[in-house]
Amino acid sequence: MANPTKTQGAQNDIVTVIPEVPITKERKPFRASASYSKLIDPGAPRANIAASQEAPHGTKDRNWASQHKDQTVLQQHCDFFDPDQDGIIYPHDTFSGFYKLGFGFFLSLLAVFIIHANFSYPTLDTFIPDPLFRVYIKNIHKDKHGSGTGVYDNEGRFVPQKFEDIFSKYADGQDFISSWQLWYMLKGQRLISDPIGWFAAFFEWLATFIMLWPDDGKLKKEDIRAIYDGSIFYTVAARQAKQKAGRSGQDF
């Protein structure tokens, strides 16, 4: 049986901040503590759950985690955009999905061009481009780009440490991130000579902000976690449909 004192001592011996290098003090990584013991080994990628301090077992609403246990978290993120569950996202699926999320006609159309022009080819099993620009979910891990948060690993798994780092490094450990902190994070995660990654990260987080559109300009941590596993898309779509039905009812 492990000695708790030794374990704690070893943890305290880990140096994460060097005074002579200010950026290490400015962006402190997440450190697991006894108060959050439910999140075990945060550095280990989770294949099929988006785990955080507050949700160590992933999304429980609608039995999401158990119903999607055979998908990686990145595949779960795409689930909403595959309504017929055939494992293929067509351009019209993307348009319909974004439209249901409240992006309107032109933004939904723009999303189709950006996503399918860039993310279709890597998911193909051949070297021949797909004239229909389909995205194959089984190979969605090949669409991972640079200059992101690193929350998804190269196989599409979810890394809790990287998720918690977003808020530890850029949001002072709070359970939300403001628009300015988000901009600072995008700058902080950029890699050299990676314009595709810069734009992809900017597009993804801009879409996130537009979809959630918080009145106070702060994106909640739990909402962001639910975006990673895609569960929040169904919640937002249902809310949009209800609001649309309400507006239609007022016309009579």
Side-chain angles (χ1 to χ4, degrees):
M1 186 172 178
N3 186 324
T5 305
K6 279 191 174 183
T7 302
Q8 185 64 35
Q11 186 182 43
N12 290 337
D13 288 340
I14 298 174
V15 177
T16 61
V17 174
I18 303 174
E20 293 80 5
V21 185
I23 195 66
T24 63
K25 184 177 181 180
E26 185 178 342
R27 302 179 193 167
K28 295 178 181 178
F30 168 75
R31 298 289 301 278
S33 64
S35 58
Y36 293 116
S37 58
K38 291 183 179 179
L39 182 58
I40 301 171
D41 196 1
R46 270 60 166 179
N48 56 8
I49 62 169
S52 68
Q53 296 184 81
E54 296 77 13
H57 303 294
T59 301
K60 292 186 176 180
D61 293 347
R62 302 186 304 277
N63 294 319
W64 182 268
S66 60
Q67 288 184 7
H68 294 82
K69 62 183 180 181
D70 296 326
Q71 293 177 303
T72 65
V73 177
L74 182 53
Q75 289 174 335
Q76 294 173 33
H77 175 77
C78 302
D79 184 83
F80 175 77
F81 299 94
D82 180 24
D84 57 4
Q85 299 294 294
D86 64 351
I88 304 172
I89 302 176
Y90 289 81
H92 67 265
D93 290 331
T94 298
F95 178 88
S96 176
F98 271 82
Y99 194 80
K100 289 177 181 177
L101 292 173
F103 281 86
F105 180 84
F106 292 106
L107 286 180
S108 298
L109 191 61
L110 178 63
V112 170
F113 281 103
I114 292 175
I115 291 173
H116 288 269
N118 291 283
F119 295 150
S120 170
Y121 186 73
T123 67
L124 304 180
D125 287 326
T126 69
F127 292 106
I128 303 173
D130 181 5
L132 298 180
F133 290 94
R134 290 167 289 194
V135 174
Y136 289 81
I137 296 179
K138 68 176 183 178
N139 294 327
I140 197 66
H141 60 281
K142 296 181 179 180
D143 278 335
K144 179 172 164 48
H145 57 79
S147 299
T149 58
V151 174
Y152 296 125
D153 70 5
N154 287 9
E155 293 71 43
R157 294 173 292 223
F158 183 94
V159 186
Q161 175 70 47
K162 295 295 185 180
F163 177 74
E164 297 294 345
D165 277 348
I166 295 173
F167 302 91
S168 179
K169 288 185 176 183
Y170 302 105
D172 301 320
Q174 301 173 107
D175 62 352
F176 63 83
I177 187 168
S178 70
S179 55
W180 287 110
Q181 291 169 332
L182 184 59
W183 177 249
Y184 179 56
M185 182 196 74
L186 288 171
K187 292 175 62 179
Q189 294 297 118
R190 287 187 304 190
L191 302 177
I192 191 172
S193 303
D194 183 30
I196 292 178
W198 304 340
F199 177 77
F202 176 78
F203 169 76
E204 290 162 357
W205 283 98
L206 178 62
T208 295
F209 199 89
I210 292 174
M211 182 182 71
L212 298 177
W213 202 261
D215 294 333
D216 57 0
K218 299 173 182 177
L219 296 175
K220 295 182 177 60
K221 180 179 180 181
E222 175 58 19
D223 288 345
I224 294 175
R225 188 197 64 78
I227 283 176
Y228 276 102
D229 72 4
S231 59
I232 199 172
F233 295 142
Y234 290 91
T235 302
V236 173
R239 184 167 65 237
Q240 288 288 333
K242 185 177 180 180
Q243 291 175 353
K244 186 176 181 180
R247 289 193 296 268
S248 298
Q250 293 174 2
D251 294 336
F252 294 96

